[in-house]
Amino acid sequence: MADVYRWRLAPDGLATRRQLRALGLRPGGQDVVAELHRPRRRKAPLVAYLYRVDRAKPVRPMTPARAAALAAAMRARRTCPNCLVDAGYCIPRSLGMCVPCHDSP
């Protein structure tokens, strides 16, 4: 079982995924070392998983092929399936089409 720490009381040397990413690191396949619990009123606590910073690996560099794949995926998320126009924003999944197509009768 992983150690459990309360909000803001985790020891040095442990970090969340976002904190690792800000340092230019990634978990690199290591298991979760501890959990961080942030209490909330009348709800279950928020949980963040902590990883060891000394075992983290550097983020893989962005290659031209990965950049092209990411651009294609974002272009697909911005293209309205109804009018086939790049909306300039990610199409809301709740609507399934751009806002002008959804609002028009």
Side-chain angles (χ1 to χ4, degrees):
M1 166 137 176
D3 295 331
V4 177
Y5 298 102
R6 287 184 53 90
W7 185 248
R8 298 183 189 245
L9 296 178
D12 292 336
L14 299 180
T16 63
R17 282 182 178 270
R18 283 190 180 192
Q19 291 168 337
L20 287 176
R21 188 62 178 206
L23 296 171
L25 301 171
R26 60 186 169 95
Q30 65 175 304
D31 291 331
V32 173
V33 176
E35 292 181 0
L36 188 68
H37 286 209
R38 180 177 180 199
R40 298 188 296 175
R41 294 182 186 172
R42 295 185 290 265
K43 290 185 180 180
L46 293 175
V47 178
Y49 299 110
L50 299 173
Y51 302 91
R52 289 184 49 176
V53 175
D54 59 346
R55 289 188 184 171
K57 296 180 180 177
V59 176
R60 294 184 187 116
M62 182 65 75
T63 62
R66 287 179 65 197
L70 181 61
M74 293 306 294
R75 189 171 42 255
R77 288 183 65 192
R78 290 190 316 261
T79 303
C80 175
N82 195 22
C83 64
L84 302 177
V85 174
D86 185 343
Y89 55 87
C90 289
I91 304 297
R93 290 176 51 192
S94 60
L95 299 180
M97 59 185 74
C98 64
V99 176
C101 288
H102 182 264
D103 290 344
S104 64

